[in-house]
Amino acid sequence: MYLVTVLGNLLLILAVSSDPHLHTPMYFFLSHLSLADIGFASTTVPKMIWDIHTHSRVIISYGGCLIQMSFFMLFGCLDSLLLTVMAYDRFVAICHPLQYLVIMNPHLCSLLVFMSFFISLVVSQMHNLIVLQLMYFKDVKISHFFCDPSQLLNLACSDTFTNNIVMYFVGAISGFLPISGIFFSYYKIVSSILRVPSSGGKYKAFSTFGSHLSVVC
């Protein structure tokens, strides 16, 4: 399943880069989403596969845990932000079709991808900073293929109440804002489609919107 995910996303990236007809904002964002999906799956799944294949228990060191957690948060947050950007792209395409190419110009598309990566990097490093502020016993190791931030907080030998609050707050904000952006875009898109008088126009608009919806689902 992991190989199918990686190969499928690589084929999609190859198709977008090799076909000039797919050099549009939507497929530009989709190719970056595929890269984020590959990175997100690669942070945990290979360790799990190795654990199952060798019938051994995977042990993650403290340093390895921090590295895995950084990439997991980075690609997870990047996934949600890119989906938000794609929802905005469909909003502009359906609600402002005549201005679409002007608004979604290459400069703005590149800026949106860069800002998504930058925000994801900040969020991942904030989680790391919270964990690094805690005191641990020597030679802390996680007996699992996935290093969850809450596991590290449970292993700390200092008070973690404030760190828990901050971590959950950062996680809630990084999850709530993209979801809010996606739902707001959906609301504006559906409202705009319902105002289209002809059934043919509604069908065309829904087919444009459905491509993004299928990616989200």
Side-chain angles (χ1 to χ4, degrees):
M1 199 65 187
Y2 171 68
L3 289 176
V4 172
T5 300
V6 173
L7 290 174
N9 282 298
L10 286 175
L11 285 173
L12 194 149
I13 294 168
L14 181 63
V16 171
S17 59
S18 60
D19 190 347
H21 296 96
L22 299 180
H23 292 176
T24 62
M26 177 184 169
Y27 287 103
F28 174 75
F29 296 134
L30 189 58
S31 60
H32 283 84
L33 181 66
S34 295
L35 281 173
D37 282 341
I38 292 172
F40 186 71
S42 299
T43 55
T44 55
V45 177
K47 273 187 175 294
M48 181 183 68
I49 293 173
W50 178 256
D51 189 13
I52 295 171
H53 180 70
T54 58
H55 302 287
S56 61
R57 236 178 172 183
V58 176
I59 304 296
I60 306 176
S61 64
Y62 176 68
C65 185
L66 289 177
I67 294 171
Q68 189 195 59
M69 189 173 66
S70 294
F71 283 109
F72 183 82
M73 294 294 176
L74 172 65
F75 290 119
C77 188
L78 185 59
D79 253 349
S80 60
L81 288 175
L82 286 174
L83 286 173
T84 309
V85 169
M86 290 175 69
Y88 173 71
D89 172 68
R90 292 301 86 198
F91 161 73
V92 176
I94 293 172
C95 299
H96 306 281
L98 298 179
Q99 299 173 306
Y100 176 69
L101 292 178
V102 177
I103 297 173
M104 301 304 296
N105 58 75
H107 176 72
L108 179 62
C109 292
S110 300
L111 181 63
L112 288 172
V113 170
F114 172 77
M115 288 304 298
S116 298
F117 178 80
F118 179 75
I119 293 170
S120 302
L121 185 63
V122 170
V123 169
S124 68
Q125 293 311 304
M126 284 181 70
H127 277 85
N128 264 3
L129 188 62
I130 293 168
V131 171
L132 286 170
Q133 287 178 342
L134 299 173
M135 293 181 63
Y136 295 91
F137 296 107
K138 289 184 178 180
D139 300 324
V140 172
K141 292 182 180 179
I142 308 295
S143 182
H144 203 267
F145 68 89
F146 173 57
C147 183
D148 187 73
S150 60
Q151 290 180 318
L152 278 177
L153 292 177
N154 291 333
L155 291 172
C157 55
S158 56
D159 182 46
T160 62
F161 178 75
T162 304
N163 301 79
N164 265 314
I165 296 297
V166 174
M167 184 171 287
Y168 285 121
F169 177 76
V170 172
I173 292 298
S174 60
F176 175 75
L177 291 180
I179 291 173
S180 300
I182 290 171
F183 276 110
F184 178 76
S185 297
Y186 284 179
Y187 167 74
K188 298 296 287 185
I189 288 170
V190 172
S191 299
S192 179
I193 291 173
L194 292 176
R195 288 197 298 267
V196 176
S198 65
S199 58
K202 287 181 179 179
Y203 175 78
K204 185 178 180 180
F206 266 118
S207 62
T208 304
F209 170 56
S211 57
H212 173 260
L213 193 62
S214 61
V215 172
V216 175
C217 296

PDB file of all heavy atoms in Angstrom, residues 4-36:
ATOM      1  N   VAL A   4       2.223   1.753  -3.443  1.00  0.00           N
ATOM      2  CA  VAL A   4       1.162   2.266  -4.311  1.00  0.00           C
ATOM      3  C   VAL A   4       0.997   3.772  -4.104  1.00  0.00           C
ATOM      4  O   VAL A   4       0.854   4.536  -5.071  1.00  0.00           O
ATOM      5  CB  VAL A   4      -0.175   1.537  -4.019  1.00  0.00           C
ATOM      6  CG1 VAL A   4      -1.328   2.209  -4.770  1.00  0.00           C
ATOM      7  CG2 VAL A   4      -0.084   0.080  -4.415  1.00  0.00           C
ATOM      8  N   THR A   5       1.030   4.200  -2.840  1.00  0.00           N
ATOM      9  CA  THR A   5       0.907   5.634  -2.526  1.00  0.00           C
ATOM     10  C   THR A   5       2.057   6.429  -3.127  1.00  0.00           C
ATOM     11  O   THR A   5       1.843   7.461  -3.776  1.00  0.00           O
ATOM     12  CB  THR A   5       0.891   5.840  -0.994  1.00  0.00           C
ATOM     13  OG1 THR A   5      -0.215   5.133  -0.435  1.00  0.00           O
ATOM     14  CG2 THR A   5       0.768   7.322  -0.652  1.00  0.00           C
ATOM     15  N   VAL A   6       3.281   5.929  -2.932  1.00  0.00           N
ATOM     16  CA  VAL A   6       4.467   6.637  -3.433  1.00  0.00           C
ATOM     17  C   VAL A   6       4.480   6.659  -4.958  1.00  0.00           C
ATOM     18  O   VAL A   6       4.668   7.715  -5.580  1.00  0.00           O
ATOM     19  CB  VAL A   6       5.752   5.994  -2.886  1.00  0.00           C
ATOM     20  CG1 VAL A   6       6.984   6.611  -3.550  1.00  0.00           C
ATOM     21  CG2 VAL A   6       5.838   6.167  -1.376  1.00  0.00           C
ATOM     22  N   LEU A   7       4.280   5.495  -5.580  1.00  0.00           N
ATOM     23  CA  LEU A   7       4.322   5.418  -7.039  1.00  0.00           C
ATOM     24  C   LEU A   7       3.186   6.209  -7.679  1.00  0.00           C
ATOM     25  O   LEU A   7       3.386   6.878  -8.709  1.00  0.00           O
ATOM     26  CB  LEU A   7       4.255   3.957  -7.493  1.00  0.00           C
ATOM     27  CG  LEU A   7       5.491   3.098  -7.218  1.00  0.00           C
ATOM     28  CD1 LEU A   7       5.242   1.650  -7.590  1.00  0.00           C
ATOM     29  CD2 LEU A   7       6.709   3.643  -7.980  1.00  0.00           C
ATOM     30  N   GLY A   8       1.993   6.146  -7.070  1.00  0.00           N
ATOM     31  CA  GLY A   8       0.861   6.908  -7.596  1.00  0.00           C
ATOM     32  C   GLY A   8       1.124   8.404  -7.583  1.00  0.00           C
ATOM     33  O   GLY A   8       0.846   9.101  -8.567  1.00  0.00           O
ATOM     34  N   ASN A   9       1.672   8.891  -6.476  1.00  0.00           N
ATOM     35  CA  ASN A   9       1.976  10.322  -6.377  1.00  0.00           C
ATOM     36  C   ASN A   9       3.117  10.726  -7.296  1.00  0.00           C
ATOM     37  O   ASN A   9       3.089  11.811  -7.888  1.00  0.00           O
ATOM     38  CB  ASN A   9       2.326  10.677  -4.930  1.00  0.00           C
ATOM     39  CG  ASN A   9       1.098  10.807  -4.047  1.00  0.00           C
ATOM     40  OD1 ASN A   9       0.244  11.656  -4.264  1.00  0.00           O
ATOM     41  ND2 ASN A   9       0.986   9.955  -3.047  1.00  0.00           N
ATOM     42  N   LEU A  10       4.122   9.851  -7.451  1.00  0.00           N
ATOM     43  CA  LEU A  10       5.226  10.151  -8.365  1.00  0.00           C
ATOM     44  C   LEU A  10       4.753  10.199  -9.809  1.00  0.00           C
ATOM     45  O   LEU A  10       5.191  11.057 -10.591  1.00  0.00           O
ATOM     46  CB  LEU A  10       6.334   9.102  -8.208  1.00  0.00           C
ATOM     47  CG  LEU A  10       7.199   9.199  -6.950  1.00  0.00           C
ATOM     48  CD1 LEU A  10       8.160   8.026  -6.881  1.00  0.00           C
ATOM     49  CD2 LEU A  10       7.963  10.522  -6.912  1.00  0.00           C
ATOM     50  N   LEU A  11       3.852   9.276 -10.187  1.00  0.00           N
ATOM     51  CA  LEU A  11       3.293   9.286 -11.546  1.00  0.00           C
ATOM     52  C   LEU A  11       2.483  10.552 -11.796  1.00  0.00           C
ATOM     53  O   LEU A  11       2.525  11.120 -12.898  1.00  0.00           O
ATOM     54  CB  LEU A  11       2.419   8.050 -11.759  1.00  0.00           C
ATOM     55  CG  LEU A  11       3.153   6.719 -11.952  1.00  0.00           C
ATOM     56  CD1 LEU A  11       2.167   5.558 -11.980  1.00  0.00           C
ATOM     57  CD2 LEU A  11       3.982   6.747 -13.243  1.00  0.00           C
ATOM     58  N   LEU A  12       1.753  10.987 -10.770  1.00  0.00           N
ATOM     59  CA  LEU A  12       0.972  12.217 -10.916  1.00  0.00           C
ATOM     60  C   LEU A  12       1.892  13.422 -11.116  1.00  0.00           C
ATOM     61  O   LEU A  12       1.638  14.283 -11.973  1.00  0.00           O
ATOM     62  CB  LEU A  12       0.101  12.417  -9.681  1.00  0.00           C
ATOM     63  CG  LEU A  12      -1.020  13.465  -9.775  1.00  0.00           C
ATOM     64  CD1 LEU A  12      -2.195  13.061  -8.902  1.00  0.00           C
ATOM     65  CD2 LEU A  12      -0.524  14.842  -9.357  1.00  0.00           C
ATOM     66  N   ILE A  13       2.971  13.479 -10.332  1.00  0.00           N
ATOM     67  CA  ILE A  13       3.939  14.578 -10.471  1.00  0.00           C
ATOM     68  C   ILE A  13       4.580  14.551 -11.854  1.00  0.00           C
ATOM     69  O   ILE A  13       4.751  15.590 -12.502  1.00  0.00           O
ATOM     70  CB  ILE A  13       5.018  14.483  -9.372  1.00  0.00           C
ATOM     71  CG1 ILE A  13       4.389  14.713  -7.998  1.00  0.00           C
ATOM     72  CG2 ILE A  13       6.136  15.493  -9.608  1.00  0.00           C
ATOM     73  CD1 ILE A  13       5.297  14.363  -6.841  1.00  0.00           C
ATOM     74  N   LEU A  14       4.929  13.344 -12.319  1.00  0.00           N
ATOM     75  CA  LEU A  14       5.533  13.198 -13.650  1.00  0.00           C
ATOM     76  C   LEU A  14       4.569  13.618 -14.743  1.00  0.00           C
ATOM     77  O   LEU A  14       4.957  14.307 -15.706  1.00  0.00           O
ATOM     78  CB  LEU A  14       5.972  11.739 -13.856  1.00  0.00           C
ATOM     79  CG  LEU A  14       6.652  11.403 -15.190  1.00  0.00           C
ATOM     80  CD1 LEU A  14       7.960  12.167 -15.312  1.00  0.00           C
ATOM     81  CD2 LEU A  14       6.897   9.902 -15.298  1.00  0.00           C
ATOM     82  N   ALA A  15       3.291  13.248 -14.605  1.00  0.00           N
ATOM     83  CA  ALA A  15       2.289  13.612 -15.608  1.00  0.00           C
ATOM     84  C   ALA A  15       2.093  15.118 -15.667  1.00  0.00           C
ATOM     85  O   ALA A  15       2.004  15.702 -16.758  1.00  0.00           O
ATOM     86  CB  ALA A  15       0.962  12.923 -15.280  1.00  0.00           C
ATOM     87  N   VAL A  16       2.043  15.764 -14.495  1.00  0.00           N
ATOM     88  CA  VAL A  16       1.841  17.215 -14.449  1.00  0.00           C
ATOM     89  C   VAL A  16       3.039  17.950 -15.038  1.00  0.00           C
ATOM     90  O   VAL A  16       2.884  18.923 -15.782  1.00  0.00           O
ATOM     91  CB  VAL A  16       1.589  17.673 -12.990  1.00  0.00           C
ATOM     92  CG1 VAL A  16       1.595  19.201 -12.894  1.00  0.00           C
ATOM     93  CG2 VAL A  16       0.259  17.124 -12.484  1.00  0.00           C
ATOM     94  N   SER A  17       4.251  17.483 -14.726  1.00  0.00           N
ATOM     95  CA  SER A  17       5.452  18.170 -15.205  1.00  0.00           C
ATOM     96  C   SER A  17       5.706  17.957 -16.694  1.00  0.00           C
ATOM     97  O   SER A  17       6.289  18.814 -17.358  1.00  0.00           O
ATOM     98  CB  SER A  17       6.682  17.715 -14.404  1.00  0.00           C
ATOM     99  OG  SER A  17       6.852  16.314 -14.538  1.00  0.00           O
ATOM    100  N   SER A  18       5.257  16.815 -17.235  1.00  0.00           N
ATOM    101  CA  SER A  18       5.542  16.507 -18.648  1.00  0.00           C
ATOM    102  C   SER A  18       4.466  16.979 -19.616  1.00  0.00           C
ATOM    103  O   SER A  18       4.737  17.130 -20.809  1.00  0.00           O
ATOM    104  CB  SER A  18       5.729  14.994 -18.808  1.00  0.00           C
ATOM    105  OG  SER A  18       4.559  14.295 -18.423  1.00  0.00           O
ATOM    106  N   ASP A  19       3.255  17.225 -19.142  1.00  0.00           N
ATOM    107  CA  ASP A  19       2.157  17.640 -20.017  1.00  0.00           C
ATOM    108  C   ASP A  19       1.914  19.144 -19.886  1.00  0.00           C
ATOM    109  O   ASP A  19       1.481  19.615 -18.833  1.00  0.00           O
ATOM    110  CB  ASP A  19       0.881  16.877 -19.654  1.00  0.00           C
ATOM    111  CG  ASP A  19      -0.225  17.077 -20.687  1.00  0.00           C
ATOM    112  OD1 ASP A  19      -0.096  17.987 -21.541  1.00  0.00           O
ATOM    113  OD2 ASP A  19      -1.227  16.338 -20.628  1.00  0.00           O
ATOM    114  N   PRO A  20       2.165  19.926 -20.950  1.00  0.00           N
ATOM    115  CA  PRO A  20       1.953  21.378 -20.883  1.00  0.00           C
ATOM    116  C   PRO A  20       0.503  21.771 -20.596  1.00  0.00           C
ATOM    117  O   PRO A  20       0.248  22.836 -20.038  1.00  0.00           O
ATOM    118  CB  PRO A  20       2.390  21.870 -22.269  1.00  0.00           C
ATOM    119  CG  PRO A  20       3.270  20.796 -22.809  1.00  0.00           C
ATOM    120  CD  PRO A  20       2.736  19.513 -22.244  1.00  0.00           C
ATOM    121  N   HIS A  21      -0.444  20.911 -20.982  1.00  0.00           N
ATOM    122  CA  HIS A  21      -1.858  21.213 -20.743  1.00  0.00           C
ATOM    123  C   HIS A  21      -2.205  21.193 -19.260  1.00  0.00           C
ATOM    124  O   HIS A  21      -3.240  21.736 -18.850  1.00  0.00           O
ATOM    125  CB  HIS A  21      -2.747  20.208 -21.492  1.00  0.00           C
ATOM    126  CG  HIS A  21      -2.619  20.282 -22.984  1.00  0.00           C
ATOM    127  ND1 HIS A  21      -1.793  19.442 -23.695  1.00  0.00           N
ATOM    128  CD2 HIS A  21      -3.201  21.113 -23.896  1.00  0.00           C
ATOM    129  CE1 HIS A  21      -1.872  19.740 -24.985  1.00  0.00           C
ATOM    130  NE2 HIS A  21      -2.727  20.742 -25.142  1.00  0.00           N
ATOM    131  N   LEU A  22      -1.356  20.557 -18.461  1.00  0.00           N
ATOM    132  CA  LEU A  22      -1.602  20.466 -17.020  1.00  0.00           C
ATOM    133  C   LEU A  22      -0.833  21.511 -16.224  1.00  0.00           C
ATOM    134  O   LEU A  22      -0.822  21.466 -14.996  1.00  0.00           O
ATOM    135  CB  LEU A  22      -1.236  19.057 -16.514  1.00  0.00           C
ATOM    136  CG  LEU A  22      -2.016  17.901 -17.123  1.00  0.00           C
ATOM    137  CD1 LEU A  22      -1.545  16.572 -16.536  1.00  0.00           C
ATOM    138  CD2 LEU A  22      -3.522  18.066 -16.901  1.00  0.00           C
ATOM    139  N   HIS A  23      -0.193  22.441 -16.933  1.00  0.00           N
ATOM    140  CA  HIS A  23       0.544  23.504 -16.247  1.00  0.00           C
ATOM    141  C   HIS A  23      -0.424  24.627 -15.848  1.00  0.00           C
ATOM    142  O   HIS A  23      -0.365  25.745 -16.345  1.00  0.00           O
ATOM    143  CB  HIS A  23       1.662  24.039 -17.141  1.00  0.00           C
ATOM    144  CG  HIS A  23       2.754  23.038 -17.368  1.00  0.00           C
ATOM    145  ND1 HIS A  23       3.824  23.278 -18.206  1.00  0.00           N
ATOM    146  CD2 HIS A  23       2.937  21.793 -16.851  1.00  0.00           C
ATOM    147  CE1 HIS A  23       4.613  22.218 -18.199  1.00  0.00           C
ATOM    148  NE2 HIS A  23       4.099  21.308 -17.387  1.00  0.00           N
ATOM    149  N   THR A  24      -1.323  24.279 -14.950  1.00  0.00           N
ATOM    150  CA  THR A  24      -2.323  25.220 -14.441  1.00  0.00           C
ATOM    151  C   THR A  24      -2.179  25.305 -12.928  1.00  0.00           C
ATOM    152  O   THR A  24      -1.557  24.425 -12.309  1.00  0.00           O
ATOM    153  CB  THR A  24      -3.747  24.748 -14.799  1.00  0.00           C
ATOM    154  OG1 THR A  24      -3.976  23.475 -14.178  1.00  0.00           O
ATOM    155  CG2 THR A  24      -3.919  24.627 -16.309  1.00  0.00           C
ATOM    156  N   PRO A  25      -2.737  26.352 -12.297  1.00  0.00           N
ATOM    157  CA  PRO A  25      -2.623  26.479 -10.834  1.00  0.00           C
ATOM    158  C   PRO A  25      -3.105  25.248 -10.081  1.00  0.00           C
ATOM    159  O   PRO A  25      -2.461  24.805  -9.131  1.00  0.00           O
ATOM    160  CB  PRO A  25      -3.489  27.707 -10.529  1.00  0.00           C
ATOM    161  CG  PRO A  25      -3.408  28.538 -11.755  1.00  0.00           C
ATOM    162  CD  PRO A  25      -3.361  27.547 -12.889  1.00  0.00           C
ATOM    163  N   MET A  26      -4.238  24.692 -10.506  1.00  0.00           N
ATOM    164  CA  MET A  26      -4.789  23.540  -9.795  1.00  0.00           C
ATOM    165  C   MET A  26      -3.817  22.363  -9.781  1.00  0.00           C
ATOM    166  O   MET A  26      -3.566  21.743  -8.732  1.00  0.00           O
ATOM    167  CB  MET A  26      -6.109  23.113 -10.442  1.00  0.00           C
ATOM    168  CG  MET A  26      -6.717  21.883  -9.801  1.00  0.00           C
ATOM    169  SD  MET A  26      -8.206  21.352 -10.665  1.00  0.00           S
ATOM    170  CE  MET A  26      -8.481  19.758  -9.900  1.00  0.00           C
ATOM    171  N   TYR A  27      -3.237  22.026 -10.924  1.00  0.00           N
ATOM    172  CA  TYR A  27      -2.309  20.896 -10.994  1.00  0.00           C
ATOM    173  C   TYR A  27      -0.948  21.244 -10.397  1.00  0.00           C
ATOM    174  O   TYR A  27      -0.222  20.349  -9.935  1.00  0.00           O
ATOM    175  CB  TYR A  27      -2.170  20.424 -12.439  1.00  0.00           C
ATOM    176  CG  TYR A  27      -3.399  19.696 -12.923  1.00  0.00           C
ATOM    177  CD1 TYR A  27      -4.324  20.315 -13.766  1.00  0.00           C
ATOM    178  CD2 TYR A  27      -3.658  18.392 -12.510  1.00  0.00           C
ATOM    179  CE1 TYR A  27      -5.460  19.650 -14.192  1.00  0.00           C
ATOM    180  CE2 TYR A  27      -4.799  17.717 -12.928  1.00  0.00           C
ATOM    181  CZ  TYR A  27      -5.697  18.359 -13.772  1.00  0.00           C
ATOM    182  OH  TYR A  27      -6.822  17.691 -14.174  1.00  0.00           O
ATOM    183  N   PHE A  28      -0.600  22.522 -10.391  1.00  0.00           N
ATOM    184  CA  PHE A  28       0.615  22.971  -9.711  1.00  0.00           C
ATOM    185  C   PHE A  28       0.511  22.678  -8.213  1.00  0.00           C
ATOM    186  O   PHE A  28       1.435  22.137  -7.602  1.00  0.00           O
ATOM    187  CB  PHE A  28       0.808  24.472  -9.959  1.00  0.00           C
ATOM    188  CG  PHE A  28       1.951  25.075  -9.196  1.00  0.00           C
ATOM    189  CD1 PHE A  28       3.264  24.856  -9.583  1.00  0.00           C
ATOM    190  CD2 PHE A  28       1.713  25.892  -8.088  1.00  0.00           C
ATOM    191  CE1 PHE A  28       4.319  25.423  -8.875  1.00  0.00           C
ATOM    192  CE2 PHE A  28       2.754  26.458  -7.390  1.00  0.00           C
ATOM    193  CZ  PHE A  28       4.066  26.225  -7.781  1.00  0.00           C
ATOM    194  N   PHE A  29      -0.642  23.023  -7.620  1.00  0.00           N
ATOM    195  CA  PHE A  29      -0.871  22.743  -6.200  1.00  0.00           C
ATOM    196  C   PHE A  29      -0.993  21.238  -5.958  1.00  0.00           C
ATOM    197  O   PHE A  29      -0.512  20.732  -4.938  1.00  0.00           O
ATOM    198  CB  PHE A  29      -2.140  23.448  -5.719  1.00  0.00           C
ATOM    199  CG  PHE A  29      -2.072  24.947  -5.781  1.00  0.00           C
ATOM    200  CD1 PHE A  29      -3.137  25.681  -6.305  1.00  0.00           C
ATOM    201  CD2 PHE A  29      -0.963  25.635  -5.328  1.00  0.00           C
ATOM    202  CE1 PHE A  29      -3.086  27.056  -6.371  1.00  0.00           C
ATOM    203  CE2 PHE A  29      -0.896  27.022  -5.390  1.00  0.00           C
ATOM    204  CZ  PHE A  29      -1.963  27.737  -5.910  1.00  0.00           C
ATOM    205  N   LEU A  30      -1.617  20.535  -6.884  1.00  0.00           N
ATOM    206  CA  LEU A  30      -1.813  19.094  -6.732  1.00  0.00           C
ATOM    207  C   LEU A  30      -0.480  18.347  -6.732  1.00  0.00           C
ATOM    208  O   LEU A  30      -0.299  17.380  -5.976  1.00  0.00           O
ATOM    209  CB  LEU A  30      -2.708  18.567  -7.852  1.00  0.00           C
ATOM    210  CG  LEU A  30      -3.188  17.115  -7.734  1.00  0.00           C
ATOM    211  CD1 LEU A  30      -3.965  16.902  -6.442  1.00  0.00           C
ATOM    212  CD2 LEU A  30      -4.047  16.748  -8.935  1.00  0.00           C
ATOM    213  N   SER A  31       0.466  18.793  -7.564  1.00  0.00           N
ATOM    214  CA  SER A  31       1.774  18.141  -7.595  1.00  0.00           C
ATOM    215  C   SER A  31       2.527  18.356  -6.286  1.00  0.00           C
ATOM    216  O   SER A  31       3.205  17.447  -5.785  1.00  0.00           O
ATOM    217  CB  SER A  31       2.606  18.665  -8.774  1.00  0.00           C
ATOM    218  OG  SER A  31       2.817  20.064  -8.663  1.00  0.00           O
ATOM    219  N   HIS A  32       2.397  19.547  -5.705  1.00  0.00           N
ATOM    220  CA  HIS A  32       3.025  19.799  -4.406  1.00  0.00           C
ATOM    221  C   HIS A  32       2.324  19.023  -3.288  1.00  0.00           C
ATOM    222  O   HIS A  32       2.977  18.582  -2.324  1.00  0.00           O
ATOM    223  CB  HIS A  32       3.021  21.299  -4.093  1.00  0.00           C
ATOM    224  CG  HIS A  32       4.065  22.071  -4.845  1.00  0.00           C
ATOM    225  ND1 HIS A  32       3.861  22.532  -6.125  1.00  0.00           N
ATOM    226  CD2 HIS A  32       5.325  22.445  -4.497  1.00  0.00           C
ATOM    227  CE1 HIS A  32       4.943  23.167  -6.539  1.00  0.00           C
ATOM    228  NE2 HIS A  32       5.850  23.119  -5.575  1.00  0.00           N
ATOM    229  N   LEU A  33       1.011  18.852  -3.411  1.00  0.00           N
ATOM    230  CA  LEU A  33       0.281  18.032  -2.445  1.00  0.00           C
ATOM    231  C   LEU A  33       0.743  16.580  -2.516  1.00  0.00           C
ATOM    232  O   LEU A  33       0.860  15.898  -1.484  1.00  0.00           O
ATOM    233  CB  LEU A  33      -1.227  18.114  -2.728  1.00  0.00           C
ATOM    234  CG  LEU A  33      -2.145  17.334  -1.778  1.00  0.00           C
ATOM    235  CD1 LEU A  33      -2.090  17.918  -0.368  1.00  0.00           C
ATOM    236  CD2 LEU A  33      -3.583  17.344  -2.290  1.00  0.00           C
ATOM    237  N   SER A  34       1.040  16.094  -3.721  1.00  0.00           N
ATOM    238  CA  SER A  34       1.556  14.734  -3.885  1.00  0.00           C
ATOM    239  C   SER A  34       2.914  14.583  -3.212  1.00  0.00           C
ATOM    240  O   SER A  34       3.188  13.558  -2.572  1.00  0.00           O
ATOM    241  CB  SER A  34       1.674  14.393  -5.375  1.00  0.00           C
ATOM    242  OG  SER A  34       0.402  14.367  -5.983  1.00  0.00           O
ATOM    243  N   LEU A  35       3.767  15.596  -3.346  1.00  0.00           N
ATOM    244  CA  LEU A  35       5.068  15.567  -2.670  1.00  0.00           C
ATOM    245  C   LEU A  35       4.893  15.522  -1.159  1.00  0.00           C
ATOM    246  O   LEU A  35       5.596  14.771  -0.459  1.00  0.00           O
ATOM    247  CB  LEU A  35       5.895  16.802  -3.063  1.00  0.00           C
ATOM    248  CG  LEU A  35       6.596  16.777  -4.415  1.00  0.00           C
ATOM    249  CD1 LEU A  35       7.221  18.133  -4.708  1.00  0.00           C
ATOM    250  CD2 LEU A  35       7.667  15.693  -4.443  1.00  0.00           C
ATOM    251  N   ALA A  36       3.953  16.330  -0.655  1.00  0.00           N
ATOM    252  CA  ALA A  36       3.682  16.345   0.786  1.00  0.00           C
ATOM    253  C   ALA A  36       3.138  14.998   1.252  1.00  0.00           C
ATOM    254  O   ALA A  36       3.493  14.520   2.340  1.00  0.00           O
ATOM    255  CB  ALA A  36       2.692  17.462   1.126  1.00  0.00           C
TER     256      ALA A  36
END
